[in-house]
Amino acid sequence: MDATMQIIINDTDLIKLKPATRQDLLVTLFSSSASSASLQNAEGFKFEEVVDLTPEQVAEFMQGCSPQTVAGLQVIAEHGPVIAANLLNEAGIDNYGHFQGRVTKRTRTITGDKHAFLFTWDDWASGENAERGYGHYAVTETTFRSLRKHFELN
């Protein structure tokens, strides 16, 4: 008798997992390059102008940030690469648009690209996101690893 098991995990389930568990799962199911591509092709997220920051760029980025912005980025490093925006409340951030604007301005300063974004977000105006009043933010795998290195989480 064949004891085959199937597990279905949707995007909402996946983002609830601990970062290390999520990464282990993605690496197990796909090659490491496929896991990065999988995130960057995740439904509802557009990564066209989202940049990959190196550990050196993250260090420079942090030098010009307020303590609250640094704390918000640490939340992303701890729970990412995709987080529900309300996790930023752990860092005292409840004005997500203000945080997003500060991070975007700093990203553009560091990269010299006036169209760059550090993270992308899904549609906050529909479905479950609209019901609860917030959606999700996502950084690239490269930026996620750089943030984790910066905060010594690896």
Side-chain angles (χ1 to χ4, degrees), residues 84-141:
N86 71 325
L87 287 177
L88 294 170
N89 296 356
E90 292 178 14
I93 297 169
D94 56 6
N95 185 337
Y96 309 132
H98 183 67
F99 172 73
Q100 183 176 325
R102 287 187 314 217
V103 168
T104 298
K105 184 175 181 178
R106 188 74 183 135
T107 301
R108 292 174 179 179
T109 298
I110 294 301
T111 64
D113 179 349
K114 65 181 180 176
H115 301 287
F117 292 93
L118 183 65
F119 45 73
T120 183
W121 51 92
D122 56 359
D123 182 1
W124 291 30
S126 65
E128 289 179 21
N129 291 350
E131 290 174 22
R132 66 178 168 246
Y134 59 86
H136 303 88
Y137 287 120
V139 296
T140 66
E141 287 288 340

Side-chain angles (χ1 to χ4, degrees), residues 3-24:
T4 303
M5 181 189 324
Q6 291 185 336
I7 299 173
I8 298 173
I9 299 176
N10 63 28
D11 291 342
T12 303
D13 297 329
L14 190 62
I15 63 170
K16 291 178 184 175
L17 298 173
K18 292 179 184 175
T21 304
R22 182 173 43 249
Q23 189 63 27
D24 287 345

